[in-house]
Amino acid sequence: SQQRFGLEGIKLNDVIEVVGVLGSDPRLALFQSGQAGEGEEVTAEDLANNPPASQVPRLHVICGRRVGCYGELAERASIAANLEALRASRERVEASRAKTLDYLSRSVGGDRLAAEYLLLHLLAHCRRDGGSPSAAVVGKHSLNLVGGRDFSALDCEAILRVVGSLVPRIWSLPVSLRGLNAGPLWPRKDYRVSRLVGGPLLLADQTHLFLDETQLGEGQLGQCGVQNFQALKGLVENQQVEVDFQFYRLPVPCDVPVTVLSRTKSLLPCDTCVHVARMQGQQHTELPSETELDELRSYIVHCWMLDYSIPDTVSEVLQQDFVLQRQKDPSTVGAEHLHRTLTLARLLSASRGETSLSVETY
């Protein structure tokens, strides 16, 4: 069972690390040659479930574990040494924060506000209260960076290059009419061979997904395109991807921070929309040294792994402030506004190396 191997509770889109024996058994290729037992019929499902070992090797697991995104980084010797220094010195955290912001601001033409939001986005992760897939998502933060009509593919590449040098998992998905209409982005079951067919949206947790809408032009979405847009909306809004089993759809919860890069405000319901000034991504040609990058990565790992709490005194201030805002603007200040505010407050606290929210940070 999975519990014996240390792989209990793994999900469809988890990354795992195993110790085992890689083996091949020629007998498993009999189905491929049609040499099943006498009187047995070889079906398409048999062929799919018993591919030759030359194509799909067999791995006999002795032990294994789920591999977390930043947990994997923290085990590197250079990162671990930096983490110890960050835990011991608040000044070191502040200095690393300033360096990280400077580095991120290069990718957005020196816009410090956009860099600040991009940093908070890199620290975002969500959870579900109660652990149920249908429970409310807490802590998600989707970001829309709006670059204006001059925002180009080169600007997107600059952002991807910078972010990709800091985080272990990143995925870019161009969003165009042709791409949306071309084929499904969601995973689905192929009943012909009784196999699950993956899709571009089936990503491991903490994979930073960048949606490039700069290629999106005028036109009409077909049925597949509409369904793809709904799949993207479900990921951004509810942090879940639905697996299509033809007769029903099964929602799979995920934790995939989404950044939408667009010329105008995206149609996807992002939590924060930032209009970026002076986008000059094409000017960035060189990355810092690996030692400098490890310092910035260590800072992100340190902030991401911090515990967090809201003291009772600060909670009272939050409640009073929310009531006042609600009285002034009841049409826009509601549960979503409060959740977004608390999420940004948590992320800002984490970026400063704080384990509890202060009134000043709020």
Side-chain angles (χ1 to χ4, degrees), residues 125-140 238 253 339 342-343 346:
H125 58 94
C126 67
R127 70 177 191 278
R128 283 170 171 79
D129 286 344
S132 171
S134 60
V137 181
V138 179
K140 75 176 184 70
N238 303 316
H339 172 260
L342 293 178
T343 298
R346 175 179 64 82

Side-chain angles (χ1 to χ4, degrees), residues 23 39 112 118 127 213 287 330:
R112 299 286 294 186
L118 192 55
R127 70 177 191 278
E213 285 190 3
L287 295 176

Side-chain angles (χ1 to χ4, degrees), residues 300-335:
I300 292 175
V301 172
H302 170 72
C303 295
W304 193 87
M305 299 178 71
L306 286 175
D307 294 327
Y308 178 76
S309 63
I310 301 179
D312 292 338
T313 54
V314 179
S315 180
E316 292 177 2
V317 174
L318 297 180
Q319 294 176 28
Q320 295 172 4
D321 187 54
F322 176 70
V323 171
L324 290 175
Q325 292 184 45
R326 179 77 172 163
Q327 291 174 348
K328 293 180 180 178
D329 190 2
S331 61
T332 58
V333 178

Side-chain angles (χ1 to χ4, degrees), residues 44-56:
E45 183 174 352
D46 291 329
L47 295 175
N49 292 331
N50 297 276
S54 59
Q55 293 182 4
V56 183

Side-chain angles (χ1 to χ4, degrees), residues 15 25 88 181 188-189 258:
V15 177
D25 187 347
N181 289 326
R188 57 208 180 278
K189 180 69 176 287
V258 180

Side-chain angles (χ1 to χ4, degrees), residues 40 52 70 93 120 128 242 244 269 274 286 293 299 327 346:
E40 295 181 9
Y70 291 114
V93 174
L120 300 187
R128 283 170 171 79
E242 291 188 339
D244 184 9
V274 180
E286 295 183 2
L293 285 175
Y299 160 75
Q327 291 174 348
R346 175 179 64 82

Side-chain angles (χ1 to χ4, degrees), residues 67-257:
V67 180
C69 178
Y70 291 114
E72 182 182 8
L73 258 185
E75 295 178 355
R76 290 172 48 178
S78 57
I79 301 292
N82 288 331
L83 287 176
E84 289 297 326
L86 289 168
R87 295 187 187 106
S89 172
R90 180 67 179 273
E91 290 74 17
R92 180 74 176 268
V93 174
E94 293 175 354
S96 296
R97 186 182 193 277
K99 291 180 181 178
T100 305
L101 281 176
D102 287 339
Y103 182 47
L104 290 174
S105 67
R106 298 185 206 172
S107 66
V108 287
D111 190 325
R112 299 286 294 186
L113 179 62
E116 186 94 27
Y117 273 104
L118 192 55
L119 171 60
L120 300 187
H121 178 70
L122 296 182
L123 303 179
H125 58 94
C126 67
R127 70 177 191 278
R128 283 170 171 79
D129 286 344
S132 171
S134 60
V137 181
V138 179
K140 75 176 184 70
H141 180 254
S142 52
L143 177 64
N144 180 201
L145 294 179
V146 180
R149 62 181 181 181
D150 295 330
F151 194 27
S152 67
L154 291 176
D155 297 313
C156 296
E157 290 175 8
I159 296 174
L160 291 170
R161 194 159 176 257
V162 168
V163 175
S165 67
L166 296 176
V167 298
R169 300 174 187 169
I170 184 173
W171 181 253
S172 173
L173 182 63
V175 179
S176 64
L177 284 175
R178 181 178 179 181
L180 290 174
N181 289 326
L185 300 177
W186 63 89
R188 57 208 180 278
K189 180 69 176 287
D190 185 347
Y191 284 93
R192 185 181 62 86
V193 293
S194 189
R195 282 293 179 90
L196 188 66
V197 180
L201 295 185
L202 189 61
L203 301 170
D205 284 350
Q206 279 304 302
T207 299
H208 291 270
L209 175 61
F210 282 78
L211 302 177
D212 179 8
E213 285 190 3
T214 60
Q215 304 177 31
L216 190 62
E218 296 181 355
Q220 185 173 359
L221 289 175
Q223 181 179 359
C224 180
V226 172
Q227 291 179 325
N228 278 330
F229 181 81
Q230 292 299 325
L232 290 171
K233 182 179 178 182
L235 176 61
V236 172
E237 199 168 30
N238 303 316
Q239 281 295 293
Q240 66 180 22
V241 176
E242 291 188 339
V243 182
D244 184 9
F245 284 89
Q246 188 176 342
F247 307 105
Y248 66 96
R249 288 178 176 263
L250 177 67
V252 177
C254 57
D255 182 8
V256 178

